[in-house]
Amino acid sequence: MSVAADSSAGDGELRHRNVSTDVNSENEGSEDIVATPKARKTYGRTKDGTVFTVPTTHDMVSQLLDPREPKNLSDVIVLAVLAGHILALYFLPESLKRPVFAAVFLFWRACYNLGIGILLRLQSNENKLVAWAKKWKFFENPATGRNPRPWLYKLLKRELEIKIPEDYEFEKAPIEYNTWLVFRRLVDLILMCDFVSYCLFAIACGNQPAGELIYIKVARWVFGWLTIGFNLWVKLDAHRVVKDYAWYWGDFFYLVDQELTFDGVFEMAPHPMYSIGYAGYYGISALAASYSVLFISIVAHAAQLAFLVLIENPHIQKTYDPPTRKSEVPVRPRIHNLLGVKNLDLLRTVDYSTFVTLSFLMLLAIVTPQTPLNQSLFFSIALVFRLWYSVGLGVILTRQSNDKAWTRHFLKVGETPEEGWRQWKGYYHYTQTLCYATFMAACWKMYSVPVDWNYGFVMLRHVVGASLIALQIWTAMSIYESLGEFGWFFGDFFFDQGAKLTYTSIYRFLNNPERVLGTAGLWGAAIITWSRSIFALALVSHLLTIGFLQFVEKPHMQKIYGRNMRREAGLTKFIKRSLPPPVAEWQSSVNKVMDETSHFVEDFLDTARPKFAAGVSTIVRDTTALFNKYPARLTLTKLSPDLAGFDPKYYSVTVEGEASGISALTERASGKEGTAGRFPNELKTMIFEYGAPIKVKWRAPATHGKKDWIGLYMVADNRSREITELSSLGRWVPTVPGQFESTTADKGILTWDQPVGDSDANEVNLVSGEMVFSGDKLWWTQGVFEFRYHHDGNHNVMSISQPFEIHINRFDYTDIDADNDAAFQQSVESALLPMVQNCLDRDPEIAPSTPAEPFGSHVERDGKYAKRLVYAIRQMFGIEFAPAVVPADGNVKNLAWRICNAKQVLAPYSMSCSRGTTTPAEKQPASP
């Protein structure tokens, strides 16, 4: 039980983020370095730069359950709660044990994945836990007289120092480290209760299936104990590598100045703590012989993977992979990709053809009766498409690799190599889609809904089959993530781009994931349908896939990359290192015989020159990890009871920004107004640039609420001038820092509570402050806006600024020589560069300073930058682009070329003889 307490933790994966896989070191024959304990101190570094010595801590289970280890009050509480769980199982009636412990386990699982997840999210984004500790003065020494709870200070000091008796001093440790130690105790309680309640639920559901055969029982118990033992080893080996620091998400609080070598279990599978680290759950399900335990295990595992995607991965990327600037960008990049639902474009021939064909195939599969003749027909169609997909396309790729036959064909008919590549992508995509669609149609014809789901292994077959299908989908996504569209469509068969082999994502662990995992979904479908025909189809597909890898991909890879190819993947190396010496020697002998046999067979086949081929069998899927966003939200509250002492006439808000230019005012006079309406208003209308920072100056009484805040709103969004009716959606800044325990909210404060010397009101002392709204605190659209000053954390409005307009100037084509393309593009670049800088928050790490300078990598990671920019381009130039154009072009120069090219192409349809959007005027005769 003490072992499995770690099995739900899954926290050791965090430190994995700091490793970089260097394939070149493997190619040079260097041996893996195994992490060994060093007798040296570990130094930590907080966000403010404070360096401290990190004390030595120990794992949760040994400290909690080992009687030789010192115990504190939190240990007693954890043990008491666990004992309460066990006693509840003993005393509850049989009819209540299952539902009660199912609810208890789901509660603790929610505390883990949802509760801890929210806390870590807040800590990662806003340093919230540390801010709370500062606000409540948990670690403020009572000797200073500023700690309102000295008893709590003494309790925390005693609790933490008992656990770390050697090199830890409560008073000298940074507040970030002490906060992390307290957070650890909360984690200990949740994780222990999570696992213990799961085990108790399994015990409550455990049973002996009626009529179970002896060999099935033996297999079930052997599988269960083997997976539990494997789970135990995974957790122990992971903790050996990552230690307590990463096990308890230490890098959410501080960073350590050390490097870890990720060997052992981290060479077996990606995110082992969250993938193979949950094998024990399924082993316990097998021992309990209960589908209830199996399904609740799947729910827990899925919740843990969601925790990884939504909480840990964003923090990993932000902390260990900061934005960098590309060294160069392609001159004419392609951005209209094929894969993925988001790239579906029915105006594109291949997408339209695929959609129509799939619709017809689906309709045919549904409406035709499930007769032996129809089953044979669909099976034959699936087999034919699999053979063409594997053998046919394999032959095409082999000829392309040997003599560029595909490219030569398109050159012969006057096309370019790029056109040949585009046609190949559509050809391959259409064939691959039909191959899998016909397979699914054949499965549909062979499948029949079970009459009794509890009969035999019916339920288990569906669970295992669905899991294998999910595994193939994940494999396809991982392959696409690593290779991109260029690698997915075998781009190195068509272009020599001097690509360097990099083994990332799933390729860090496997050289050819398609060999086994790439066809897992086919076997899963065979298990679900339980049809001999589908089993045969899956077997043929698997063999063809292996043949494709061996006779098409491998020769080409050896020809292109030569010695740069890695001989052994991470998983293979780990297994070889784990073998006993006699087995390792025997395995080397077998490898020698197999290599000699393989060379003989290859020589024989080369002599016979057969045309064998097979294709990669992976499902075309492209998904985007969706990340939850937690914008700062303020809710509508009642009028503050202390509002009576504050007079709104002493509050004021003024706005300063960068003027949008003369064109913004001249565009208002369109000639469609009456005579009086055509003259400009004497009032100086404030019109600011799109995306430019806006400075706000405020003035208020010195006794104003410390939680006063100013929000940015559209003028038309609020009916009332006294109370704001809508949330600010993160577009707000407090007047005084440190009042909302949020570093995100405080971002933008310049000055606060500065005494006003020229105050006209003698009876009231006034103070002033300044703040800047920029980036995510702006509205990224055109419109009329206003700032509202709110009282003491509520939505009571004390002052409203003068409304101002956000405007994007239209590009003036009339003053540019339509026949001088170079001058035209240079003018577009000059107009576009400041707009791009605004859309990229004027961050020097992201925004370029010249048209040729590449964008920062944040533009690719976060789609908000591209969406801002394509909106501005549409308003500025009248050209609409997809957001994917921005990261693909990579700099202002390429974007300007694309705009010029688009205007030139659309010129005949723009009512302009040149580049404009107005009605062309008659050509005037040249003056003599």
Side-chain angles (χ1 to χ4, degrees):
M1 184 180 298
S2 62
V3 174
D6 296 344
S7 70
S8 63
D11 313 334
E13 187 62 28
L14 276 175
R15 199 60 181 90
H16 183 188
R17 64 202 60 166
N18 209 17
V19 67
S20 60
T21 304
D22 189 358
V23 176
N24 295 329
S25 62
E26 296 176 359
N27 297 332
E28 295 168 2
S30 60
E31 297 294 333
D32 288 328
I33 301 173
V34 180
T36 56
K38 298 181 179 180
R40 66 180 182 87
K41 294 182 179 180
T42 300
Y43 293 96
R45 187 183 305 273
T46 63
K47 292 183 178 181
D48 60 5
T50 303
V51 178
F52 66 100
T53 302
V54 180
T56 303
T57 57
H58 302 283
D59 66 279
M60 163 183 61
V61 178
S62 62
Q63 283 195 328
L64 187 64
L65 301 180
D66 190 344
R68 297 170 297 180
E69 294 290 335
K71 300 294 185 290
N72 57 13
L73 179 60
S74 59
D75 291 334
V76 175
I77 293 175
V78 172
L79 292 174
V81 174
L82 297 181
H85 284 66
I86 298 172
L87 291 175
L89 178 68
Y90 181 78
F91 287 107
L92 278 175
E94 289 294 330
S95 59
L96 293 180
K97 287 181 180 181
R98 292 189 180 187
V100 167
F101 276 96
V104 170
F105 170 68
L106 292 176
F107 167 77
W108 287 115
R109 176 54 54 165
C111 290
Y112 179 12
N113 295 134
L114 184 61
I116 294 179
I118 292 175
L119 291 178
L120 289 176
R121 180 89 174 192
L122 293 173
Q123 174 62 22
S124 175
N125 293 340
E126 303 181 10
N127 203 28
K128 202 74 170 182
L129 301 185
V130 176
W132 286 341
K134 291 179 180 178
K135 175 184 177 182
W136 295 327
K137 298 181 173 58
F138 285 159
F139 308 109
E140 188 78 31
N141 196 323
T144 62
R146 295 193 297 268
N147 192 330
R149 308 172 190 86
W151 62 271
L152 182 58
Y153 177 88
K154 295 178 181 178
L155 176 63
L156 293 176
K157 173 180 170 65
R158 183 175 65 255
E159 289 286 303
L160 300 181
E161 289 185 344
I162 288 177
K163 286 296 182 182
I164 316 176
E166 298 176 0
D167 51 357
Y168 170 70
E169 293 186 38
F170 182 78
E171 295 85 356
K172 295 182 180 180
I175 187 173
E176 289 84 358
Y177 185 76
N178 283 337
T179 305
W180 176 65
L181 291 180
V182 174
F183 174 74
R184 277 188 54 163
R185 303 313 294 162
L186 174 64
V187 171
D188 288 344
L189 172 64
I190 293 176
L191 297 190
M192 289 298 295
C193 292
D194 173 80
F195 179 72
V196 170
S197 60
Y198 171 81
C199 290
L200 296 177
F201 175 72
I203 293 173
C205 294
N207 69 95
Q208 176 69 36
E212 184 180 34
L213 299 176
I214 184 62
Y215 68 88
I216 295 179
K217 180 177 181 180
V218 171
R220 180 166 59 83
W221 278 79
V222 169
F223 169 80
W225 286 112
L226 283 179
T227 52
I228 292 173
F230 175 73
N231 197 130
L232 166 62
W233 172 81
V234 169
K235 299 299 182 179
L236 293 179
D237 196 62
H239 190 271
R240 171 189 65 83
V241 175
V242 302
K243 306 296 187 298
D244 278 4
Y245 169 72
W247 195 272
Y248 289 98
W249 303 280
D251 56 358
F252 280 73
F253 297 83
Y254 64 95
L255 298 177
V256 293
D257 296 334
Q258 70 174 10
E259 293 294 332
L260 298 180
T261 301
F262 288 90
D263 60 342
V265 68
F266 288 93
E267 291 179 321
M268 291 189 63
H271 305 292
M273 297 299 294
Y274 294 160
S275 54
I276 58 177
Y278 270 71
Y281 271 35
Y282 302 104
I284 294 175
S285 302
L287 294 179
S290 169
Y291 284 116
S292 299
V293 180
L294 176 61
F295 289 139
I296 209 169
S297 300
I298 294 174
V299 170
H301 198 174
Q304 194 65 24
L305 293 175
F307 178 85
L308 169 69
V309 172
L310 301 177
I311 304 300
E312 289 197 14
N313 280 350
H315 180 78
I316 291 170
Q317 191 176 64
K318 179 176 67 175
T319 305
Y320 296 102
D321 192 14
T324 56
R325 198 177 294 278
K326 295 180 180 178
S327 58
E328 59 182 10
V329 295
V331 178
R332 299 290 179 262
R334 286 192 55 83
I335 45 84
H336 203 184
N337 294 330
L338 276 176
L339 296 184
V341 177
K342 66 177 182 180
N343 292 317
L344 179 65
D345 186 355
L346 293 180
L347 299 181
R348 183 167 50 187
T349 304
V350 63
D351 287 352
Y352 175 75
S353 303
T354 303
F355 177 77
V356 171
T357 306
L358 292 183
S359 300
F360 176 75
L361 181 63
M362 180 179 66
L363 182 63
L364 191 65
I366 293 175
V367 300
T368 55
Q370 199 166 352
T371 62
L373 177 61
N374 288 330
Q375 291 176 339
S376 301
L377 177 63
F378 276 91
F379 172 82
S380 302
I381 294 174
L383 181 60
V384 168
F385 271 101
R386 168 56 67 174
L387 289 172
W388 174 244
Y389 170 64
S390 302
V391 180
L393 297 191
V395 171
I396 293 175
L397 284 175
T398 301
R399 295 187 60 195
Q400 173 68 15
S401 175
N402 293 335
D403 57 6
K404 301 294 182 184
W406 183 278
T407 303
R408 287 177 183 272
H409 169 77
F410 284 91
L411 290 176
K412 181 178 68 175
V413 297
E415 299 289 354
T416 63
E418 289 75 15
E419 175 63 17
W421 163 244
R422 188 177 71 86
Q423 293 294 336
W424 161 255
K425 287 172 59 179
Y427 195 90
Y428 181 85
H429 177 65
Y430 183 77
T431 305
Q432 185 185 48
T433 305
L434 283 185
C435 175
Y436 282 99
T438 53
F439 178 84
M440 289 187 286
C443 293
W444 174 262
K445 284 300 176 186
M446 303 296 178
Y447 178 74
S448 58
V449 179
V451 178
D452 184 3
W453 286 88
N454 296 319
Y455 174 76
F457 297 102
V458 171
M459 181 74 74
L460 183 62
R461 285 196 291 107
H462 284 74
V463 172
V464 173
S467 301
L468 291 176
I469 293 173
L471 177 62
Q472 178 167 338
I473 293 174
W474 172 82
T475 302
M477 293 167 53
S478 299
I479 292 173
Y480 181 79
E481 177 186 1
S482 179
L483 300 181
E485 290 228 343
F486 183 81
W488 183 274
F489 291 106
F490 307 96
D492 51 6
F493 281 73
F494 296 84
F495 300 102
D496 182 13
Q497 295 193 351
K500 180 182 177 182
L501 278 175
T502 56
Y503 292 91
T504 59
S505 187
I506 194 173
Y507 287 96
R508 179 174 175 236
F509 312 96
L510 300 169
N511 281 345
N512 289 309
E514 306 100 320
R515 188 180 297 273
V516 178
L517 303 182
T519 57
L522 306 182
W523 292 106
I527 293 173
I528 291 176
T529 59
W530 209 246
S531 167
R532 286 178 294 181
S533 300
I534 302 301
F535 271 105
L537 198 55
L539 177 61
V540 171
S541 301
H542 198 157
L543 294 177
L544 289 174
T545 298
I546 296 175
F548 180 90
L549 296 174
Q550 185 68 27
F551 300 111
V552 179
E553 275 198 16
K554 185 177 180 181
H556 180 78
M557 296 285 287
Q558 290 176 338
K559 181 172 65 175
I560 298 298
Y561 301 105
R563 295 183 178 180
N564 290 327
M565 290 182 60
R566 181 179 65 179
R567 293 184 58 85
E568 295 179 346
L571 179 59
T572 305
K573 290 164 56 180
F574 167 75
I575 293 175
K576 286 186 175 181
R577 281 203 307 264
S578 303
L579 294 175
V583 179
E585 294 177 3
W586 176 80
Q587 192 252 355
S588 299
S589 302
V590 173
N591 284 346
K592 182 178 179 181
V593 174
M594 293 298 294
D595 289 340
E596 293 176 354
T597 305
S598 175
H599 290 315
F600 170 78
V601 173
E602 288 177 359
D603 293 339
F604 174 78
L605 293 176
D606 288 339
T607 304
R609 301 186 64 82
K611 301 297 182 181
F612 294 118
V616 177
S617 55
T618 49
I619 294 177
V620 180
R621 293 291 175 87
D622 176 32
T623 58
T624 302
L626 299 177
F627 297 98
N628 283 347
K629 296 182 180 179
Y630 296 93
R633 299 182 63 87
L634 296 172
T635 57
L636 185 63
T637 59
K638 296 180 180 180
L639 290 174
S640 178
D642 57 347
L643 192 62
F646 298 92
D647 192 342
K649 72 178 182 180
Y650 297 119
Y651 293 78
S652 64
V653 178
T654 58
V655 182
E656 295 180 1
E658 298 182 13
S660 180
I662 300 177
S663 63
L665 290 174
T666 57
E667 287 175 8
R668 293 187 169 193
S670 62
K672 298 186 289 292
E673 301 83 9
T675 303
R678 300 178 187 179
F679 294 95
N681 196 330
E682 295 182 359
L683 176 64
K684 293 183 178 180
T685 305
M686 293 192 298
I687 305 179
F688 298 149
E689 279 189 14
Y690 173 80
I694 301 175
K695 180 182 288 188
V696 178
K697 296 182 179 180
W698 58 269
R699 179 176 292 191
T703 57
H704 73 93
K706 296 304 178 184
K707 287 192 173 184
D708 288 0
W709 58 280
I710 297 176
L712 175 60
Y713 298 88
M714 281 190 169
V715 170
D717 281 350
N718 287 285
R719 296 172 298 176
S720 172
R721 310 296 284 175
E722 289 79 24
I723 296 179
T724 298
E725 301 171 319
L726 300 176
S727 167
S728 63
L729 298 176
R731 302 180 183 95
W732 66 285
V733 177
T735 57
V736 179
Q739 301 301 312
F740 292 90
E741 297 90 34
S742 172
T743 55
T744 303
D746 291 345
K747 182 180 178 182
I749 299 178
L750 301 179
T751 62
W752 65 93
D753 286 354
Q754 302 294 316
V756 177
D758 57 348
S759 175
D760 296 333
N762 297 327
E763 70 280 4
V764 177
N765 296 322
L766 301 180
V767 293
S768 64
E770 296 182 2
M771 58 184 64
V772 171
F773 282 73
S774 61
D776 291 336
K777 297 191 177 184
L778 294 175
W779 284 82
W780 290 94
T781 185
Q782 296 187 107
V784 181
F785 304 89
E786 64 186 6
F787 286 99
R788 292 182 163 222
Y789 188 111
H790 300 87
H791 173 70
D792 205 22
N794 296 321
H795 281 67
N796 303 310
V797 179
M798 307 303 293
S799 180
I800 300 177
S801 72
Q802 177 185 338
F804 58 93
E805 183 179 353
I806 299 297
H807 183 80
I808 300 176
N809 291 328
R810 294 179 183 174
F811 185 75
D812 189 1
Y813 296 94
T814 58
D815 296 334
I816 302 173
D817 185 1
D819 298 324
N820 191 338
D821 291 337
F824 179 58
Q825 180 169 344
Q826 187 174 4
S827 299
V828 173
E829 291 176 6
S830 301
L832 189 60
L833 180 60
M835 181 62 67
V836 170
Q837 292 171 337
N838 285 347
C839 292
L840 303 187
D841 295 340
R842 298 188 179 181
D843 186 343
E845 296 295 328
I846 307 176
S849 57
T850 63
E853 185 177 359
F855 303 149
S857 62
H858 253 18
V859 177
E860 292 184 358
R861 297 180 185 176
D862 198 335
K864 66 182 181 182
Y865 298 109
K867 292 177 181 178
R868 296 173 183 176
L869 190 50
V870 295
Y871 172 80
I873 291 174
R874 185 172 74 248
Q875 303 299 324
M876 194 173 186
F877 299 97
I879 300 295
E880 184 172 3
F881 291 136
V885 169
V886 176
D889 279 345
N891 62 20
V892 174
K893 193 176 188 67
N894 286 347
L895 270 177
W897 172 87
R898 193 178 295 277
I899 292 171
C900 295
N901 185 63
K903 291 298 293 185
Q904 185 177 9
V905 171
L906 298 177
Y909 311 100
S910 63
M911 297 296 291
S912 173
C913 60
S914 59
R915 322 230 180 220
T917 57
T918 59
T919 303
E922 291 188 14
K923 188 175 181 179
Q924 299 294 332
S927 57

